[in-house]
Amino acid sequence: MHRLFRGIVTGAFVALAGCTTVQPFDPVADKLSSSDLTLATQTFREICLDTLPDFSQVNAVATAREFEPLSIPGQGRFAAQTYRTNLKSVIALTARFDESTPVCGVAFLGPDDDKRVQEAFVATTTRALGGQPRAKLRASQDDAAYHLRNQSTMIFEARAKSDGASHYVYLTPPVSREEAERIVAP
């Protein structure tokens, strides 16, 4: 499931690379500053956490924030909605990979600092949902996964690139612990 999601997001990054208004990520000049990480976590909160339990309001929130819709080849196959949120290649999207589980997420380019990114997103969900995650899940293909206070599942992935790392943070609607484990370790 996550490889397909990454494929859509990778397509969006390729599309963004061709835009003249978007500068490529430069690991020497572009560090994952506090404000960039704040933008990524704020986007995650507004697009994903604030549209729980079913992410049905993502388009309304993205439109209100004046995010630019992106059309990526193949995204229709997953009922995906993709948005460019800023000039640093932060992308927000929703997709549906099966009939029962929609997924919301953000993806962004940044340096290799997985721990800092995960800590920032866990802190964001802790504030938004009123408590620490219920459990850290064993995630065979992902960097980390948590079953959250509201029973949603949050999944982290980071993939090294020549110019930094692609960070992916996904959120599911509330699901049982067993379903969460199935999602992250199929």
Side-chain angles (χ1 to χ4, degrees):
M1 174 166 86
H2 306 302
R3 280 178 249 175
L4 298 173
F5 190 71
R6 267 199 315 272
I8 291 172
V9 175
T10 299
F13 282 144
V14 169
L16 288 173
C19 296
T20 58
T21 59
V22 177
Q23 299 298 315
F25 182 78
D26 177 356
V28 175
D30 296 330
K31 300 298 180 195
L32 184 60
S33 72
S34 209
S35 63
D36 293 337
L37 188 52
T38 299
L39 175 63
T41 57
Q42 177 183 346
T43 299
F44 182 75
R45 183 182 47 78
E46 292 174 353
I47 295 293
C48 298
L49 292 170
D50 291 352
T51 62
L52 281 166
D54 61 2
F55 312 123
S56 63
Q57 296 300 309
V58 167
N59 188 53
V61 172
T63 300
R65 291 279 317 272
E66 299 182 357
F67 292 165
E68 179 183 336
L70 292 174
S71 180
I72 300 168
Q75 78 180 20
R77 186 172 148 206
F78 305 105
Q81 298 172 310
T82 311
Y83 306 91
R84 182 179 109 193
T85 62
N86 74 345
L87 298 180
K88 286 285 190 188
S89 299
V90 175
I91 296 171
L93 68 93
T94 61
R96 185 176 295 274
F97 298 105
D98 61 37
E99 292 181 19
S100 63
T101 310
V103 178
C104 184
V106 295
F108 55 99
L109 297 176
D112 296 321
D113 195 351
D114 300 349
K115 183 178 180 187
R116 183 171 164 213
V117 169
Q118 289 177 18
E119 287 172 352
F121 278 88
V122 168
T124 296
T125 61
T126 296
R127 282 190 302 276
L129 300 176
Q132 290 289 322
R134 291 175 180 268
K136 186 170 184 174
L137 303 173
R138 188 178 67 78
S140 62
Q141 296 180 2
D142 307 298
D143 296 331
Y146 295 88
H147 197 224
L148 301 175
R149 179 65 44 204
N150 74 331
Q151 297 190 7
S152 291
T153 305
M154 182 170 55
I155 305 160
F156 294 95
E157 293 186 59
R159 299 296 170 252
K161 303 288 182 187
S162 62
D163 59 352
S166 295
H167 297 275
Y168 308 90
V169 184
Y170 318 113
L171 185 70
T172 70
V175 296
S176 69
R177 170 88 183 252
E178 294 75 26
E179 180 67 9
E181 290 171 347
R182 186 194 65 76
I183 290 169
V184 300

